[in-house]
Amino acid sequence: MVDVRYDIAFRLYPYVRVSAQDAAPLRHPVVIVGGGPIGMAAALDLGKRGTPVLVLDDHEGVGQGSRAICFSKRTLEIADRLGCADAMLAKGVQWNVGRVFHGPERIFEFNLQAEAGHKYPAFINLQQPYFEKFIVDEIRAAQAAGAPIEIRGQNLVTGLAQNDGFVTLEVETPDGPYQIEADWLIACDGARSPLRDMMGLGFEGRAFEDNFLIADVKMTADFPTERWFWFEPPFKGAGQSALLHKQPDNIWRIDFQLGWNIDRKAELDPARIRARVDAMLEAQTGTIPPYELEWTSIYTFQCRRMEKFRHGRVFFAGDAAHQVSPFGARGANSGLQDTENLAWKLDLVLRGLAPDALLDSYSPERVFAADENILNSSRATDFLTPKSDVSKAFRNAVLKLAQTHAFARPMVNSGRLSVPCTYDGLPLNGPDALNGPARSRVGAVCPDVPLGEGFLLNQLGRGFTLLGINTQVPDSLTESGIAVTPLQLSAQDGPLAERYLGAAPAAVYLIRPDQHIIARWPLFNDAATRQALRRAIGKA
Amino acid sequence: MPLNTAPNLPDPDGFYDELLRAHEGLSQAESEALNARLILILCNHIGDGEVLREALRAAAA
């Protein structure tokens, strides 16, 4: 038996009995447990690299509920490399303006699109089921083109053993149990990760005593496509804060912060939710437009992470490894960055081009990112939910001052929106020998730049790139069996010069497959480049 | 620049009087709110993280 824990929005991978269920355990190079956005993105990344990958999910498709709705520019850049960003962008709602209110007062507004010259906007809003479906659609297209990806629905992992050199999984199906072996296992099985429990691993952190009510409302209203956030909302029953945000299909996400001591069942009564939504809409429009409740949910959250994300041959990614508050959209977005960090490393190790030590770098790099996300998300939560009288006095002082004084506005924190972390000072990094801009320093993700009709990030291949700007890099360079792709550009002024040269007349950048910068120099140096590449693949 | 804890106000008694008068007639909660706004305004004016950390240490000691 495989229990149905939630309803399906899109039935994308119905259970099919496979011959392996009747045979001796088969060994797979990579098995991914959990077919959510993180697991599927990992499968697509590995499969497109030609590494065979098997996804096991205990359901037959994408779960219902909008859930994660804000997808960041970096997520779209990753999805673009994987081939599914266009569908996301076409369906998603773009927004740039956020307005912040305190009670009835409009305090200030911000515009996310601070800088031109990027292929993707800062954020799109898109219901999570669509996001997942677009990844699976691209998996189907990749499979048709020969990518070695397999998805098995209604395959529930019930047991796990780490052996010398491989992992054995016990898998339950509607036709009974069978065993699978994996060289490497990626656990993407969510915040309550059963695999983490099976391995007896901890998940420590801080719980926040607050409940948030989500009401997804379907209506044709002419609110602008903006993010509206209220501290101490002026409408009845809204709780301590409220959020209004647009999704595709004329759906509006409304969030109410209800506090800790609530009766969850009573609060989920549709009549009670409608009373809250009515009060909010009436306060904004003077009338109550017709609407339908599309999806409702009450959630609480914690900020926590595993001590390390690699345990032998098992890697943890996404919510299974780390959990943050929703403020800042750092959950799904950071999970995507986990998979892109891991995919190229696993691929190189499975091809025998990099040592096992490369895989050790996954945990420190992504723990570093998780800590940054947890820090930002905890700070936002402390601002939203002051824990004492004095913290509330300071919070409200900031909100009041922000109405008249610019200095207080950067302190208003309704979530610091997700940006990729820079791996400052981590072991795979090479030298930063260029007096260049801080944003493109060693460890950072390459900032995008318009190039002719296209964009820089599209010029970076699946592998390593050696970028020369106003200085020559060789036409070919192979180190440790890895061919580095050269990219020769020139720039006098404009975004490329601003983002990659700064005051320097020329620059050479060595770039990882996940578009993080390994090293940079004022001129090409063969020995230094080779040494930096060896270090970036765990060989030095 | 280190935190200046030497006498720096030209008219200490006058300033103290102005500070108290700003709170006159306020409830406890209103006074706390005023203090919070005042602290934030002054911290922004100082604008030096190291000086502010020194000030926090001095105040907590």
Side-chain angles (χ1 to χ4, degrees):
Chain A
M1 269 298 290
V2 180
D3 288 339
V4 175
R5 291 181 292 116
Y6 49 80
D7 295 330
I8 298 296
F10 301 111
R11 191 161 174 260
L12 299 177
Y13 37 89
Y15 170 72
V16 176
R17 187 185 174 91
V18 293
S19 60
Q21 289 171 241
D22 304 311
L26 272 180
R27 179 77 60 87
H28 296 261
V30 181
V31 172
I32 294 168
V33 177
I38 311 309
M40 289 301 187
L44 183 55
D45 206 338
L46 283 160
K48 283 205 166 182
R49 292 178 186 281
T51 288
V53 56
L54 169 65
V55 181
L56 303 176
D57 192 72
D58 63 345
H59 285 64
E60 295 192 316
V62 174
Q64 281 185 355
S66 58
R67 294 169 289 156
I69 60 163
C70 286
F71 294 96
S72 72
K73 174 172 167 290
R74 183 61 195 155
T75 290
L76 292 168
E77 290 168 356
I78 295 169
D80 193 31
R81 187 172 55 75
L82 298 177
C84 45
D86 288 349
M88 294 168 181
L89 198 62
K91 182 74 188 172
V93 169
Q94 286 190 38
W95 62 278
N96 289 314
V97 173
R99 290 185 198 281
V100 181
F101 303 83
H102 184 203
E105 304 288 337
R106 177 184 293 189
I107 302 177
F108 70 100
E109 61 181 74
F110 57 86
N111 192 332
L112 289 177
Q113 200 60 310
E115 187 179 74
H118 293 262
K119 183 171 181 184
Y120 290 103
F123 274 89
I124 61 165
N125 284 5
L126 181 68
Q127 293 89 328
Q128 187 175 332
Y130 284 123
F131 183 81
E132 296 187 43
K133 183 177 181 298
F134 294 144
I135 298 174
V136 177
D137 288 347
E138 184 59 25
I139 287 179
R140 296 307 185 201
Q143 285 172 320
I149 308 171
E150 186 185 353
I151 305 171
R152 293 185 192 165
Q154 277 208 70
N155 273 237
L156 169 71
V157 175
T158 57
L160 175 152
Q162 286 221 56
N163 312 299
D164 187 17
F166 67 100
V167 178
T168 305
L169 295 174
E170 305 287 335
V171 182
E172 184 65 45
T173 74
D175 288 315
Y178 71 112
Q179 285 191 336
I180 289 175
E181 291 177 0
D183 290 335
W184 304 101
L185 182 76
I186 311 177
C188 307
D189 53 345
R192 283 186 284 269
S193 174
L195 287 178
R196 200 181 53 223
D197 289 344
M198 284 174 211
M199 294 176 70
L201 299 169
F203 200 36
E204 303 307 319
R206 185 173 162 206
F208 289 88
E209 295 192 343
D210 219 321
N211 289 282
F212 289 79
L213 170 69
I214 294 178
D216 274 1
V217 163
K218 184 164 188 139
M219 63 179 173
T220 44
D222 55 358
F223 294 122
T225 306
E226 299 174 347
R227 178 187 192 265
W228 290 4
F229 191 94
W230 288 264
F231 293 96
E232 303 183 327
F235 24 93
K236 190 168 171 279
Q240 296 181 60
S241 71
L243 173 76
L244 179 71
H245 216 176
K246 193 177 188 191
Q247 304 172 49
D249 303 336
N250 288 319
I251 292 178
W252 297 80
R253 163 72 64 89
I254 303 178
D255 240 319
F256 299 107
Q257 184 184 352
L258 298 186
W260 185 234
N261 291 309
I262 63 161
D263 178 345
R264 288 170 67 97
K265 194 152 173 274
E267 296 296 354
L268 279 169
D269 175 1
R272 204 175 164 96
I273 294 175
R274 279 188 164 275
R276 285 206 156 90
V277 172
D278 287 355
M280 177 194 233
L281 294 176
E282 191 168 20
Q284 298 311 305
T285 63
T287 59
I288 301 169
Y291 65 87
E292 294 162 43
L293 288 180
E294 184 80 8
W295 182 66
T296 60
S297 172
I298 287 182
Y299 64 89
T300 59
F301 55 81
Q302 303 205 356
C303 289
R304 53 186 176 170
R305 69 162 168 88
M306 297 176 73
E307 192 190 344
K308 52 194 176 107
F309 299 166
R310 178 186 181 185
H311 290 266
R313 296 192 157 254
V314 182
F315 301 90
F316 288 84
D319 285 358
H322 46 76
Q323 203 184 356
V324 293
S325 83
F327 311 113
R330 288 166 182 268
N333 288 307
S334 69
L336 255 295
Q337 293 160 37
D338 292 344
T339 69
E340 80 148 1
N341 184 288
L342 183 56
W344 67 271
K345 295 174 181 174
L346 262 182
D347 180 67
L348 285 182
V349 170
L350 277 161
R351 290 174 193 284
L353 291 169
D356 179 275
L358 177 59
L359 300 174
D360 278 336
S361 68
Y362 169 70
S363 186
E365 288 188 342
R366 295 315 298 166
V367 161
F368 188 84
D371 283 346
E372 187 174 295
N373 287 318
I374 288 171
L375 178 69
N376 276 290
S377 142
S378 299
R379 285 175 171 176
T381 309
D382 285 338
F383 194 87
L384 284 159
T385 353
K387 301 295 179 295
S388 64
D389 290 343
V390 73
S391 58
K392 186 158 188 171
F394 276 116
R395 198 280 300 270
N396 286 347
V398 168
L399 293 175
K400 180 148 199 234
L401 291 167
Q403 286 180 44
T404 40
H405 300 292
F407 87 84
R409 286 168 203 159
M411 297 171 85
V412 175
N413 191 346
S414 64
R416 300 286 179 230
L417 293 168
S418 173
V419 287
C421 122
T422 297
Y423 300 137
D424 284 317
L426 293 184
L428 298 189
N429 293 355
D432 194 339
L434 185 78
N435 181 23
R439 65 189 296 182
S440 52
R441 68 189 183 273
V442 168
V445 171
C446 289
D448 206 0
V449 168
L451 284 183
E453 299 293 297
F455 287 87
L456 174 65
L457 294 187
N458 290 130
Q459 301 289 315
L460 307 177
R462 282 194 187 289
F464 292 85
T465 304
L466 187 62
L467 166 65
I469 306 171
N470 299 343
T471 184
Q472 195 70 32
V473 293
D475 292 338
S476 75
L477 187 149
T478 300
E479 169 58 38
S480 302
I482 294 171
V484 177
T485 308
L487 179 60
Q488 195 70 60
L489 299 173
S490 59
Q492 298 317 316
D493 46 29
L496 182 62
E498 283 163 24
R499 292 168 202 178
Y500 286 84
L501 294 176
V508 171
Y509 282 79
L510 184 60
I511 299 162
R512 305 192 334 189
D514 58 11
Q515 302 175 347
H516 281 262
I517 293 160
I518 297 168
R520 60 179 183 177
W521 303 271
L523 284 169
F524 173 72
N525 177 303
D526 188 73
T529 305
R530 289 175 187 280
Q531 191 184 4
L533 186 84
R534 283 197 300 272
R535 189 181 170 107
I537 58 170
K539 281 195 169 174
Chain B
M1 196 181 77
L3 178 71
N4 183 2
T5 56
N8 194 35
L9 289 165
D11 177 12
D13 290 346
F15 168 71
Y16 193 78
D17 188 38
E18 282 179 69
L19 183 63
L20 292 191
R21 273 194 280 127
H23 283 272
E24 261 173 25
L26 300 186
S27 69
Q28 183 72 22
E30 286 165 342
S31 270
E32 281 168 13
L34 175 72
N35 278 341
R37 292 195 295 274
L38 184 63
I39 289 169
L40 292 170
I41 288 166
L42 295 175
C43 288
N44 179 68
H45 181 82
I46 292 163
D48 179 324
E50 194 40 56
V51 171
L52 293 173
R53 273 185 290 276
E54 259 191 83
L56 285 168
R57 281 195 295 270

